[in-house]
Amino acid sequence: MSLTKVYDAPTVFRHLNGIMNIYKPAGMKVKHVKNAVLHNIAKDLNEMKVREPRKLHTPLLEPGGDANPLLRKINSIDLADHILATGPRYQISDIRCALVAGLGIHTSGVLLFGINKGINQSQQVQRNRPVRAYHVTGRLGMATETHFPDARITVRADYRHVHPDRVSALAASMQASHQRKMYELCGVDLQSQAAYEIACKGLLRPADNTQPVIYGIKLIDFQRPDFTLEIHAINECEEYLASLINEVGIELRTVAHCTSIRCIRHGHYGVETSLLRHGWNLRGVVKNMREQRQVLQKHPHLINQDKIELRND
Amino acid sequence: MIILRNLRFITKVTKTDANIPNYLPKNIRSLRNQTRQRVESLTTKEEHTDHVEKLAQPTRTEQRVNTVLRKHCLCNKSPTLQKFLQLGVDLHSIERRKGLAKFTLGLDFEKDVQPYLYFLQDQGVPAESFGELITKNPLIFKIDLDDLQTRVNYLESKKFTAVQRQRIFTYNPFWLMFSTHRIDKRLGHFQKEFHLNGDDVRFLASKQPRLITYNMDHIRKASFCIREEMGFDKDEIKCLLLSKPRLWMINSDELIERFAYAHQTMGLSHDLLIQFPEVLTSREFRLRQRHEFLATLGRAQYDPEKDLYTSPKDLVSGNDYHFVRNVAKSDLETYELFLKTR
């Protein structure tokens, strides 16, 4: 199918459906990100060729001139529909936009929005609870009130005794205990045959939609005093991840707080194709939605789940 | 049964649109009903040859009944509003603000509006900016023309040149709303506070006329912020004021954050900041992103005497593409990969 250049705004608006993958910067609220993107989209739509003002339904009559003395109709525009009288043709409230799953203020990374007709798809994706992968960086030696660097420091401790193999061993044991908890959360009595059959299949989604479950923790970087963990989880929030870092510090007989959280994957939507700030305009959003459509085509199980366990593909 | 059928017949014929609220006067309700029905008939009966136009239905906000519909009926009938549309006045934003819609409807173009437009033209205000002026300040038509003349004479007496006066009236629609006494007090305040002489005051007023009529609390807070919290002395403040008056109009919390980043993390001294005040007018995230990118490349050198110097002005000017290619001498993919690691 050949690509054609589109200059008129109604066509673009009609085709502005789907899921968009935005890279949320750290320190910015999700509300502000959404407003910024929608504001830019509306501004760009208004700059394209928009609908002309309507014609007056009672056409005026004017004399035809010397050559033709008959009265003739002139279709003059309805001034009430002029852009300056009604305001810009596209406003933020015209675009329907729903968040798939939120990120905290300190988290950066993949943030998915469903636009117009893509809201259905986005809600189904979220209902099937995709697994999110994070890179969480922590710093040893200090603990703060909210486990984030902007809060007041509560405890200081020495961390010279911490080594990377200790940390990875701790991460592995935390992963095992979380996976054990996952079986308890699957909603079936642990002593039954059904539980055994479910356990044979592998890692499962929890029955409860609010309880955070961690499927994997791995140490990927250790430069004392900083360390980075890769965490795969469902139903988590940024406070939970930050308190995890705090617990890691306590288990290592020191203290730690969380310096940065980055969401690198949301289901099959990765951070490689997410839209950075300089692309938060109509052109970038349309291109992004076209790329994200392929993700859904390759992995239809994001919308229609057919197995209860987590898949590898 | 008969009664029910009659009811249905009655309700079908006199179908009142539920969206039009009942508290509006009867004539407006009937007018709105008229336009609504006519829009529907337009789309069902007529054959639209233009495919785009047929499918370009009014968007949801337009279909929702808002006070704009009142203008809908009156735009076609009032000559004042039509002349305003020709000038480029944004009626939509005027209507949003309370009370202004009624006021503008009551204006007569020949009697009320034209004398003021001639007056402004005599002062040198170009005709293209009339639309913007009226949009921002329609209440200027309430002030007596003699008062306006007095205020202009005051500026002339204070030796403001014609070019300066033209700039003031074009860029600050609200200047003429302030009485001579108030303007005098404000100009005096700026002169005393920042130790400016006559020429400086005139330069400041023409460079950024909005600053003179800005909220005094805000200006006092910004001055405190720049003097005490940032630690600039009197001469430096005067220099900053005359080169970038906009700093006094920015939210002081944001200003402090940017200054903290520029001074502590980037290491820019007070002298450098006075030389390049643009650094303080750009948003903090942009400073942070670009400085950290340059730091990873090893080019974050702001001392002109050492190697690999990048001017702080280049740091904040231009869009990302321009910055990455010319200042950081790298490519956009590297910059994107870097941004995604933050």
Side-chain angles (χ1 to χ4, degrees):
Chain A
M1 197 173 74
S2 64
L3 294 171
T4 49
K5 279 200 182 175
V6 181
Y7 294 105
D8 60 323
T11 322
V12 178
F13 187 72
R14 223 177 330 129
H15 291 284
L16 200 71
N17 311 313
I19 297 186
M20 67 175 175
N21 180 352
I22 303 262
Y23 189 86
K24 173 188 168 306
M28 209 168 155
K29 290 191 191 166
V30 172
K31 255 196 308 187
H32 294 337
V33 173
K34 181 177 165 185
N35 270 337
V37 176
L38 290 183
H39 173 81
N40 283 347
I41 292 178
K43 192 170 76 154
D44 288 339
L45 277 172
N46 285 325
E47 277 166 13
M48 294 174 81
K49 204 175 89 161
V50 291
R51 178 172 67 89
E52 299 286 325
R54 288 191 293 262
K55 301 277 193 288
L56 268 180
H57 30 264
T58 46
L60 305 173
L61 302 172
E62 66 164 9
D66 297 324
N68 189 4
L70 287 174
L71 294 173
R72 56 170 190 219
K73 285 190 201 173
I74 36 169
N75 272 329
S76 59
I77 58 172
D78 186 8
L79 278 177
D81 202 28
H82 197 261
I83 288 188
L84 290 175
T86 46
R89 292 273 186 244
Y90 293 97
Q91 292 172 359
I92 297 184
S93 45
D94 290 333
I95 308 172
R96 289 186 303 152
C97 176
L99 187 59
V100 168
L103 292 176
I105 299 180
H106 299 96
T107 323
S108 60
V110 174
L111 186 63
L112 298 177
F113 286 105
I115 299 201
N116 290 340
K117 297 205 183 119
I119 288 184
N120 266 337
Q121 283 177 344
S122 71
Q123 282 176 352
Q124 281 174 336
V125 166
Q126 181 54 6
R127 212 177 303 147
N128 291 329
R129 289 280 180 263
V131 178
R132 279 199 275 196
Y134 290 87
H135 281 181
V136 189
T137 337
R139 179 176 279 246
L140 297 163
M142 290 196 288
T144 57
E145 280 179 353
T146 56
H147 314 303
F148 282 113
D150 50 359
R152 197 161 54 102
I153 299 174
T154 47
V155 188
R156 273 187 224 262
D158 196 13
Y159 53 86
R160 281 173 303 180
H161 54 272
V162 177
H163 293 287
D165 41 345
R166 267 294 294 139
V167 187
S168 23
L170 174 65
S173 78
M174 283 178 94
Q175 178 178 320
S177 68
H178 275 268
Q179 284 185 358
R180 228 175 304 130
K181 191 179 95 174
M182 167 195 72
Y183 288 120
E184 289 163 24
L185 282 178
C186 72
V188 194
D189 183 23
L190 272 178
Q191 304 293 328
S192 65
Q193 176 67 12
Y196 174 72
E197 280 169 15
I198 289 175
C200 286
K201 293 198 179 146
L203 298 170
L204 332 152
R205 284 196 174 73
D208 189 4
N209 264 351
T210 50
Q211 191 68 278
V213 180
I214 299 196
Y215 295 108
I217 311 182
K218 213 168 65 161
L219 177 74
I220 50 175
D221 190 28
F222 189 90
Q223 314 275 349
R224 209 187 290 133
D226 295 309
F227 64 97
T228 312
L229 299 172
E230 178 164 325
I231 301 182
H232 295 245
I234 272 187
N235 294 333
E236 76 305 326
C237 51
E238 69 165 11
E239 291 92 10
Y240 184 74
L241 294 170
S243 64
L244 240 173
I245 296 280
N246 195 41
E247 276 166 27
V248 163
I250 293 177
E251 295 285 325
L252 293 169
R253 301 208 340 238
T254 171
V255 283
H257 69 278
C258 176
T259 42
S260 91
I261 309 181
R262 221 167 42 101
C263 175
I264 55 166
R265 204 165 55 87
H266 189 138
H268 282 276
Y269 295 97
V271 86
E272 298 83 21
T273 46
S274 57
L275 202 57
L276 282 168
R277 210 153 181 169
H278 52 78
W280 287 1
N281 42 36
L282 186 65
R283 182 164 162 256
V285 163
V286 169
K287 185 170 171 201
N288 187 265
M289 287 207 282
R290 194 173 64 224
E291 287 167 10
Q292 303 309 319
R293 230 182 304 158
Q294 290 164 3
V295 171
L296 261 187
Q297 278 170 1
K298 255 200 316 191
H299 308 278
H301 64 87
L302 277 175
I303 295 201
N304 296 318
Q305 218 180 70
D306 46 359
K307 300 186 208 166
I308 59 164
E309 73 273 14
L310 297 178
R311 298 161 68 121
N312 276 338
D313 60 346
Chain B
M1 280 285 265
I2 305 167
I3 302 167
L4 280 173
R5 234 185 295 142
N6 274 343
L7 268 177
R8 217 183 314 136
F9 175 69
I10 292 167
T11 48
K12 233 192 204 173
V13 164
T14 59
K15 182 167 143 196
T16 49
D17 208 324
N19 276 344
I20 302 178
N22 262 330
Y23 53 79
L24 285 174
K26 201 168 164 195
N27 50 351
I28 293 193
R29 257 188 295 148
S30 62
L31 278 172
R32 287 195 195 191
N33 234 338
Q34 266 182 355
T35 50
R36 179 60 62 79
Q37 284 171 7
R38 277 177 179 163
V39 166
E40 283 162 9
S41 66
L42 198 72
T43 50
T44 49
K45 282 186 194 167
E46 292 190 29
E47 284 283 329
H48 285 273
T49 48
D50 192 355
H51 181 71
V52 168
E53 208 194 67
K54 179 179 185 183
L55 290 170
Q57 295 293 328
T59 50
R60 282 159 81 209
T61 29
E62 292 177 30
Q63 282 173 343
R64 244 176 277 137
V65 167
N66 45 20
T67 49
V68 176
L69 264 183
R70 197 154 75 95
K71 281 260 169 103
H72 270 196
C73 316
L74 298 160
C75 252
N76 287 316
K77 300 187 180 143
S78 153
T80 319
L81 292 183
Q82 286 178 10
K83 284 269 168 53
F84 275 168
L85 279 180
Q86 272 175 0
L87 283 173
V89 175
D90 196 358
L91 295 175
H92 159 80
S93 65
I94 290 184
E95 192 158 30
R96 278 243 200 97
R97 288 131 52 181
K98 291 184 189 161
L100 289 180
K102 210 172 169 187
F103 173 68
T104 47
L105 280 174
L107 289 174
D108 179 38
F109 196 78
E110 300 297 326
K111 264 196 307 186
D112 300 322
V113 178
Q114 253 201 12
Y116 290 86
L117 295 182
Y118 283 139
F119 176 79
L120 286 172
Q121 210 167 31
D122 291 335
Q123 303 308 315
V125 177
E128 292 88 33
S129 47
F130 280 162
E132 203 191 307
L133 260 164
I134 301 178
T135 314
K136 290 208 179 132
N137 188 15
L139 290 173
I140 198 170
F141 301 120
K142 251 193 176 173
I143 304 181
D144 209 9
L145 269 174
D146 299 322
D147 285 337
L148 290 185
Q149 189 61 45
T150 328
R151 289 160 197 178
V152 171
N153 292 343
Y154 166 76
L155 282 181
E156 269 183 47
S157 72
K158 291 285 175 182
K159 300 184 207 148
F160 278 84
T161 66
V163 174
Q164 285 173 335
R165 274 179 289 147
Q166 181 211 344
R167 241 192 93 91
I168 290 176
F169 298 138
T170 323
Y171 289 107
N172 190 356
F174 295 98
W175 183 287
L176 287 167
M177 307 288 284
F178 281 64
S179 70
T180 327
H181 181 66
R182 277 178 88 187
I183 293 273
D184 192 40
K185 254 179 43 177
R186 296 236 173 164
L187 289 173
H189 171 262
F190 275 98
Q191 191 165 14
K192 234 178 29 178
E193 170 112 11
F194 301 108
H195 311 277
L196 307 170
N197 62 22
D199 278 330
D200 290 333
V201 174
R202 285 187 279 272
F203 174 74
L204 178 69
S206 62
K207 177 157 185 171
Q208 186 58 274
R210 274 172 44 208
L211 186 65
I212 311 287
T213 52
Y214 214 68
N215 182 5
M216 279 312 291
D217 271 336
H218 199 278
I219 295 184
R220 243 177 267 137
K221 203 168 160 199
S223 305
F224 172 81
C225 170
I226 295 179
R227 200 178 39 235
E228 311 286 334
E229 292 174 15
M230 297 194 204
F232 286 107
D233 65 16
K234 286 201 294 249
D235 302 312
E236 293 171 341
I237 295 180
K238 182 174 166 183
C239 197
L240 269 180
L241 180 69
L242 292 176
S243 58
K244 248 314 177 254
R246 277 210 66 216
L247 290 176
W248 270 257
M249 306 205 302
I250 299 176
N251 183 6
S252 41
D253 300 323
E254 285 179 20
L255 197 58
I256 276 286
E257 268 182 37
R258 291 175 206 174
F259 174 80
Y261 188 80
H263 188 56
Q264 285 156 9
T265 322
M266 284 167 70
L268 298 179
S269 67
H270 282 94
D271 298 314
L272 262 175
L273 279 173
I274 295 172
Q275 244 185 322
F276 301 106
E278 298 85 21
V279 173
L280 290 174
T281 49
S282 89
R283 285 182 285 176
E284 199 234 342
F285 78 88
R286 209 192 307 273
L287 272 180
R288 205 169 357 113
Q289 276 174 4
R290 294 185 175 189
H291 169 74
E292 285 179 6
F293 186 56
L294 288 180
T296 49
L297 289 177
R299 285 176 162 271
Q301 177 61 263
Y302 305 114
D303 191 355
E305 280 151 41
K306 299 192 189 146
D307 289 335
L308 287 182
Y309 166 70
T310 42
S311 155
K313 188 168 177 195
D314 289 333
L315 187 75
V316 296
S317 61
N319 59 8
D320 275 350
Y321 183 70
H322 169 94
F323 166 75
V324 166
R325 294 307 294 270
N326 302 354
V327 183
K329 311 232 199 294
S330 166
D331 54 311
L332 208 56
E333 282 89 25
T334 323
Y335 188 53
E336 286 189 4
L337 280 173
F338 166 77
L339 284 179
K340 286 184 180 169
T341 61
R342 292 261 139 253

